[in-house]
Amino acid sequence: MHLVILTSLDALSRNTAAALVAGPAIGAPVVLHDLLDGGVVTRRIHRNDRIVERESRVLEHGCLSCTVRFDLAPALLRLASEGVERAVVGLPPGTTAENAIDGLHSIAPGAFVVDAVALALRPEDVEDQLWDHHTLFASGYTAVPEDARTPGEFLMGELLFADTVLTTVSDLLPTDAALDARGLQLIGQLAPHARVSAADAATLARHDYGASQARSLPGAVLAPTIASAPFRTLEHRITRPLHPGRFRTALGAVSEGCCFVRGSVWIAGMPDARVAVHGVGPRISLGNGGPWTAAERHGEWCRGTHLALTGDALDDDDITGLLDACALTDDELRSSPAYSHPTSENH
């Protein structure tokens, strides 16, 4: 069965996009799932703008992964057994497309072909969602109290993984033309790889799972080649290792006001460990990016710092000055027993 996977922060954008995407494919079912309080999962199947099936059930653990395993996959397999060749799948808000795809393939290997993965959103909402400091649960996007992700963290993950961004409008909320344009400009900086269009099947980009995973790796940098005013992305590289204390102090100032910060950092005393930086809106984190390698990887060679920062009021001199000041001095390099020179392959 061939699938179009739709992911979103809100059910309204998802439902609007699903109806438009399924429109040209007359008869193709639209399968929508929603996770409610108490572990209740509702499933609706639409055909030609009519609900042909509606069912609710309580899942023991009431989580999003359980929804995929115990309800979505069985429903799709049943439709396939009835001769359905294509379907549009609208995931519960807050469910990542990658987890859903991995779950479907693990449950029924070879049964599904994902033709497209699209993120549905209202462009004018994007900036506020990125800066929302609450959790998905606290902001009302999911019914899972344990979900500690912020709306921005979920949204940025889906922007990187999806091949298409489907823009929607709401009949309930008036569209602000200026905010809509600003949102589109921001999306262009955050997801330069994505095809951005109004929701319809003809504009969906072909899904490339390998490319989606590569963009989503910790520390990966996918920067746009041009600015989309008022937003732009600043890239900066440093070949020397960074002083851990100075970098920790500078990171807050450097990332302040940035919608998205990503990249890899070489910390002195950690010659073999690549530190991945990931910051969305008000939250920034450092994680294990895996070992440095001698082979080219996402444009990187061996050790070194490579950061990309996206915002609408970047002070290039201030940011680069703060970062450059984190690099070890000549005296520190000579006196640091933990420092090991990069190999000859480091360029």
Side-chain angles (χ1 to χ4, degrees):
M1 175 185 281
H2 291 259
L3 303 177
V4 173
I5 304 290
L6 296 180
T7 177
S8 185
L9 255 179
D10 67 280
L12 184 60
S13 293
R14 179 205 62 185
N15 295 351
T16 301
L20 293 172
V21 167
I26 302 301
V30 175
V31 183
L32 302 176
H33 278 83
D34 289 287
L35 182 60
L36 309 180
D37 292 335
V40 176
V41 172
T42 64
R43 181 183 69 249
R44 290 171 291 151
I45 299 180
H46 298 245
R47 283 180 185 265
N48 299 324
D49 297 327
R50 293 179 56 249
I51 296 180
V52 297
E53 181 179 314
R54 180 172 187 150
E55 184 176 335
S56 297
R57 60 183 298 187
V58 178
L59 296 181
E60 182 179 351
H61 298 290
C63 63
L64 299 174
S65 60
C66 291
T67 303
V68 174
R69 177 172 296 275
F70 296 114
D71 202 278
L72 174 59
L76 292 176
L77 289 172
R78 174 172 55 80
L79 289 174
S81 69
E82 296 170 359
V84 174
E85 297 181 352
R86 298 182 181 278
V88 177
V89 175
L91 298 174
T95 303
T96 68
E98 183 174 15
N99 285 344
I101 292 170
D102 290 346
L104 290 173
H105 287 332
S106 66
I107 295 166
F112 305 110
V113 176
V114 178
D115 290 336
V117 174
L119 171 64
L121 50 74
R122 290 204 325 151
E124 63 187 271
D125 294 336
V126 170
E127 192 169 6
D128 285 342
Q129 291 167 341
L130 289 177
W131 286 104
D132 188 347
H133 67 277
H134 300 95
T135 66
L136 287 173
F137 175 75
S139 289
Y141 291 112
T142 76
V144 183
E146 297 80 13
D147 197 333
R149 296 171 297 167
T150 65
E153 287 174 324
F154 169 81
L155 188 64
M156 197 62 241
E158 299 308 279
L159 279 168
L160 292 174
F161 189 81
D163 308 274
T164 305
V165 174
L166 296 177
T167 61
T168 65
V169 295
S170 170
D171 293 333
L172 302 176
L173 302 172
T175 298
D176 185 308
L179 289 178
D180 186 73
R182 183 178 173 88
L184 289 172
Q185 291 158 347
L186 178 54
I187 292 167
Q189 291 294 296
L190 300 177
H193 65 281
R195 181 180 297 173
V196 182
S197 66
D200 65 74
T203 58
L204 294 175
R206 186 76 181 181
H207 178 57
D208 185 331
Y209 184 78
S212 293
Q213 281 197 313
R215 293 191 298 266
S216 304
L217 285 173
V221 173
L222 180 68
T225 56
I226 59 174
S228 49
F231 297 98
R232 63 188 182 88
T233 297
L234 168 67
E235 288 188 80
H236 192 58
R237 297 174 185 266
I238 303 173
T239 57
R240 293 188 175 197
L242 306 187
H243 186 283
R246 293 201 295 269
F247 176 68
R248 185 166 53 249
T249 301
L251 184 58
V254 165
S255 59
E256 185 176 357
C258 293
C259 299
F260 185 33
V261 180
R262 63 280 197 195
S264 298
V265 176
W266 181 14
I267 299 296
M270 303 172 61
D272 299 322
R274 187 168 61 95
V275 177
V277 180
H278 187 79
V280 181
R283 183 180 290 186
I284 190 164
S285 62
L286 303 178
N288 183 3
W292 299 105
T293 64
E296 189 173 8
R297 181 174 177 180
H298 310 302
E300 296 297 299
W301 285 90
C302 289
R303 307 179 187 98
T305 290
H306 179 196
L307 292 174
L309 306 94
T310 297
D312 64 345
L314 302 179
D315 186 325
D316 293 24
D317 292 340
D318 188 41
I319 291 173
T320 57
L322 285 169
L323 289 175
D324 288 342
C326 298
L328 294 189
T329 64
D330 289 342
D331 288 341
E332 288 172 329
L333 287 173
R334 285 191 291 267
S335 63
S336 174
Y339 169 69
S340 60
H341 270 285
T343 68
S344 61
E345 295 169 296
N346 187 21
H347 301 288

